[in-house]
Amino acid sequence: MKTALTILLGCFTSLTVLAQQQTIHNIINTVSNIPTGKGLSNADITKGLKEALNVGAQKATDNAAKLDGFYKNPLIKIPFPKEVKQVEKSLRGIGINKPVDDFIRTMNRAAEDASKSALPIFVNAITSLSIQDGLRILQGGDTAATAYLRTQTSGQLGTSFKPIITQATSKAQVTKHWTAVTKQYNKIGIGKKVNPDLNEYITQQALKGLFLLVGQEEIKIRKDPMARINEILKKVFGS
């Protein structure tokens, strides 16, 4: 009787251990087969994310910096400053269209020129991406990598963009007229005060547009298999 009981307890113990081992095995399988980065080391995941950021930043910068990259893209085209939208409306209402069109085109050309300086700044931030950053980005939202780049580069990009934009607007002589008009407008006090620093307005709009493009490229890589142009992207984001 004792022997039978011992055997029975032994069998029960063995089954319990096997069940625990199977449970652990199932957990490991579940964790290692998450939708993105399945079965990869943290180093491989980080490498893949850096590659994704490089691809996205390159494409976004190329699109922003080309002729009409801002001006003919309705998603990022820099408009007449909204604080004085009534000025644009009034001028167009009496047939003064060309100066307004020229003003808007100049702002967008300045943004396009400034965008040419963005890629080295992006690349530097991407190189500095840590494994911890990579894991957070991988399991973040559709534009988590773009948010990382925005945090890491906005200040440096603004510093780089503004002199280029200032040179472009000065050459077109729009800054001088803008400053004079907005200062007078602010003195009248009929509405919300307008920032007379046109170059700062263009700089901020250019950054906003550029990061929108980077975000679009990131979403493509996460969701569209055709956008995963090499093996490491396919491994990290799924085949």
Side-chain angles (χ1 to χ4, degrees), residues 111-145:
E112 291 158 12
D113 287 344
S115 295
K116 296 172 184 175
S117 69
L119 189 58
I121 296 172
F122 281 149
V123 169
N124 184 58
I126 293 165
T127 302
S128 303
L129 188 143
S130 69
I131 288 176
Q132 289 74 22
D133 291 328
L135 293 174
R136 280 194 294 268
I137 290 169
L138 183 68
Q139 297 305 318
D142 288 343
T143 57

Side-chain angles (χ1 to χ4, degrees), residues 151-171:
T151 300
Q152 297 296 314
T153 65
S154 288
Q156 194 175 352
L157 285 171
T159 301
S160 175
F161 276 25
K162 196 165 184 180
I164 299 170
I165 288 169
T166 300
Q167 183 178 11
T169 54
S170 297
K171 189 184 298 182

Side-chain angles (χ1 to χ4, degrees), residues 53-68:
L53 280 167
N54 275 316
V55 170
Q58 178 74 64
K59 289 186 176 181
T61 302
D62 287 348
N63 287 331
K66 68 184 180 183
L67 183 66
D68 291 329

Side-chain angles (χ1 to χ4, degrees), residues 65-78:
K66 68 184 180 183
L67 183 66
D68 291 329
F70 272 81
Y71 187 60
K72 290 191 176 179
N73 184 342
L75 288 176
I76 63 172
K77 182 179 181 180
I78 300 176

